[in-house]
Amino acid sequence: MVGRFLGWYYLTRGGRCRVIIGKDTRLSSYTLEYALAAGITASGGDAYIMHVTTTPSISFIARCDGFDCGVMISASHNPYADNGIKLVNGRGEKLERGVLHLIEQYLDGDRDFISGGDLPLAGGDRVGRTVDYIAGRNRYIGHLIALSASSFRGMKIGLDCANGAGYKIAPSVFEALGADIFLVGCSPDGLNVNEGCGATDVAALRRAVRENNLDVGFAFDGDADRCICVDERGEIIDGDGIMYAAAVALGARGELAGNRVVATVMSNGGLKTSLAARGVEVVSCPVGDSEVYDRMCSCGAALGGEQSGHVIFGKVERTGDGIVTALQLAGDMVERDRRASELVRGLTRLPQRLVSVRVRDKEGALKDRAVGAAIARAEGVLSDGRMVVRASGTENVIRILAEGRTEESCDLATQIVGEALVKFNGE
C-alpha cells in the first residue's frame, strides 16, 4: 500500500515517478522489497532496486541521481523478526511530515483527499518498470572511498557489520583504502542481524580488538547508519566520544561552523562541559537523527549526533552514516598521528545510567500517575542531576536515563522508575 501511494503521489506532481529501494538482510526484507516495487509500478511509477544496501546509501543516491524519493527496508538495530521502512525525499532528507501524514491517512482508510476515493491503477504502457540498480550501490562505494584523504595502509581495523546491510560495503571500502581488516558480524543468514554483534552489542568486537592487537574497531547497526568505536585497548567510544573527537578535529581545521555541535538530551552532560572548555557550544535537541539534522540546519552547525552512534557530518551528508563516521575517525588517527584512545583525551563524563524497560503500552505508561510519582522521587534522589524518561521510537520500550553526581544515585533513580514500570505492566 505504501508503494501504491508513493507511485501515485509523485506522478500527480508531474513527470514519471522514480523511487529508489534498498533493504537490509532480514528474511522479511525480500518480501517487502517485492511488495513495494509491485505497488509503485502498479501506480505507474518506476522502482529502482539497489538490493542489500545501507540507509545512508539510499539517501545519497536519492539526491545525487535525481529520484523523487527513496525507501529503505529495515528495522535498524532491532531483532530480525521486526521490520519497517524509512523514507527519504529527493534531497536525501527524511520525508516531509506532511507527506508522511498523508501516507498514514491512506493506510488508515481515510482517503477523502484522493479523487474518486481510491488510487487509480496504471494500465497499458503506463505501467511502471522495475530496474536493477546495483550501479547505485557501486557509485556509493566509490563516493565513500573518495571521501578519505588518508591511506589506511599498515592499520589493523576491526569491522563489525551486525550481519546487516553494510556487510559487503564496509569491508570493500576499508580494503580499498589499504587497511588490514578483521571482520565480525559479516555472515548474514536472514535471522542473525544484530544478534550478539553490531553497535548495540560490541562484546565480540572488543574481544577481536584485544586478541588481534588491532588499532581500532568500528561497529555498525543493521542498516549501518550508526557507528560505535572500540579503541586499541578494547574500550568503547560511543556517540558522545565520537562527537567530541570530531569536534576537536574539525575545529583544528577551521571546519566547525560557529564552533557549535548539536546533541540530543540523551548525551552525557560531560560532553557539554568538555567542549565548552574548548570554546565549543553544545546545542540540545530532542531524540532522533531527523531532530538532530533539523537543528543543525536551523543553527548552522556542521556536526551533530546521538550517544547511540548516529553522527552527522553536515559537510558531506544529510543523515547519519556509520561508515562515514568510521572513515572520519580513522582519518583523524592518521592525520593527527593519534591512537584511537587519544582522540577522546580531555572528555570527562558524568555518572550516567541508561535502562530500558519493555512495556505493554508506551503512551499509557508515561501518563500513569504512579510512574509519574516515581519519576519525581527519582529526580529527588539525583538532586541537581537529571532524568530523561521517554518512549522508544521503534519498540514497546521505555528508556530511563539518570545522570547525577554518583553511580549509586543513578542506579537508585533508574531502579525506582523501573519498578514503577514493572508494576504498570502488572508483573
Side-chain angles (χ1 to χ4, degrees):
M1 292 178 71
V2 174
R4 287 273 285 126
F5 179 90
L6 293 175
W8 167 81
Y9 178 82
Y10 287 103
L11 275 172
T12 61
R13 273 139 188 82
R16 189 172 183 94
C17 169
R18 298 168 72 246
V19 180
I20 186 73
I21 301 174
K23 65 175 181 287
D24 69 13
T25 55
R26 295 162 214 267
L27 283 180
S28 58
S29 293
Y30 293 78
T31 300
L32 293 174
E33 175 187 61
Y34 297 144
L36 277 164
I40 292 164
T41 54
S43 287
D46 295 338
Y48 286 69
I49 311 296
M50 273 175 61
H51 305 283
V52 174
T53 192
T54 66
T55 291
S57 74
I58 294 298
S59 172
F60 174 78
I61 292 299
R63 67 184 170 91
C64 291
D65 287 7
F67 285 92
D68 292 293
C69 71
V71 184
M72 178 65 185
I73 303 163
S74 177
S76 189
H77 57 282
N78 287 25
Y80 89 92
D82 297 337
N83 217 337
I85 59 174
K86 296 182 177 183
L87 300 166
V88 299
N89 61 26
R91 297 184 300 277
E93 302 163 348
K94 293 293 177 69
L95 196 62
E96 294 84 357
R97 289 182 175 86
V99 182
L100 290 174
H101 180 64
L102 289 177
I103 294 174
E104 290 169 355
Q105 280 186 255
Y106 175 67
L107 294 176
D108 289 340
D110 178 4
R111 301 173 185 180
D112 291 342
F113 63 93
I114 301 171
S115 177
D118 206 353
L119 303 180
L121 283 166
D125 63 357
R126 295 187 178 182
V127 174
R129 299 176 300 157
T130 299
V131 180
D132 188 302
Y133 207 61
I134 194 68
R137 190 173 71 188
N138 294 336
R139 283 214 324 113
Y140 171 69
I141 290 173
H143 158 71
L144 292 176
I145 294 169
L147 280 180
S148 178
S150 304
S151 167
F152 300 149
R153 191 168 303 280
M155 291 182 71
K156 296 192 295 183
I157 298 177
L159 299 173
D160 181 347
C161 298
N163 291 316
Y167 85 101
K168 286 187 177 179
I169 295 175
S172 297
V173 171
F174 279 88
E175 278 190 326
L177 291 168
D180 294 326
I181 60 173
F182 294 75
L183 301 180
V184 175
C186 284
S187 300
D189 61 11
L191 307 175
N192 60 358
V193 61
N194 299 313
E195 186 178 86
C197 58
T200 55
D201 188 349
V202 297
L205 180 61
R206 296 179 73 185
R207 287 194 300 271
V209 168
R210 288 166 175 160
E211 292 171 3
N212 296 284
N213 295 314
L214 306 186
D215 295 301
V216 68
F218 300 109
F220 313 112
D221 64 337
D223 64 337
D225 62 354
R226 294 188 186 191
C227 175
I228 296 294
C229 179
V230 173
D231 70 20
E232 74 282 356
R233 305 165 302 175
E235 299 300 319
I236 296 171
I237 301 176
D238 64 7
D240 286 346
I242 291 169
M243 284 189 284
Y244 176 84
V248 172
L250 290 171
R253 295 197 294 266
E255 297 177 0
L256 189 64
N259 282 330
R260 187 176 294 123
V261 172
V262 173
T264 75
V265 294
M266 302 296 280
S267 279
N268 192 287
L271 175 66
K272 184 174 183 177
T273 56
S274 299
L275 285 177
R278 290 180 167 270
V280 177
E281 177 191 8
V282 174
V283 178
S284 185
C285 73
V287 172
D289 56 338
S290 61
E291 297 282 357
V292 172
Y293 181 71
D294 288 347
R295 189 61 57 86
M296 288 173 64
C297 291
S298 65
C299 73
L303 176 68
E306 300 186 275
Q307 190 181 68
S308 60
H310 288 120
V311 179
I312 302 175
F313 293 84
K315 184 177 180 180
V316 298
E317 58 189 352
R318 299 179 183 182
T319 186
D321 188 330
I323 302 175
V324 168
T325 299
L327 290 170
Q328 295 287 337
L329 284 177
D332 289 342
M333 290 173 63
V334 174
E335 181 181 327
R336 300 170 61 197
D337 192 24
R338 297 283 193 275
R339 293 181 177 182
S341 61
E342 295 171 333
L343 297 180
V344 291
R345 183 176 293 165
L347 172 62
T348 58
R349 296 176 183 272
L350 299 175
Q352 193 179 73
R353 285 290 181 272
L354 176 61
V355 174
S356 298
V357 179
R358 189 164 293 278
V359 294
R360 52 182 169 78
D361 176 8
K362 292 185 290 188
E363 300 304 320
L366 292 178
K367 294 177 182 177
D368 184 72
R369 288 186 178 180
V371 172
I375 293 172
R377 290 199 306 275
E379 289 173 336
V381 167
L382 293 173
S383 184
D384 56 352
R386 65 189 183 103
M387 292 285 299
V388 179
V389 182
R390 54 173 287 271
S392 165
T394 61
E395 301 174 272
N396 287 325
V397 161
I398 299 295
R399 313 279 190 209
I400 310 166
L401 174 74
E403 185 177 275
R405 292 182 178 180
T406 66
E407 305 285 355
E408 292 77 15
S409 64
C410 293
D411 287 338
L412 179 56
T414 54
Q415 180 184 340
I416 290 170
V417 179
E419 289 176 352
L421 289 169
V422 169
K423 287 182 180 178
F424 170 81
N425 278 334
E427 297 176 7

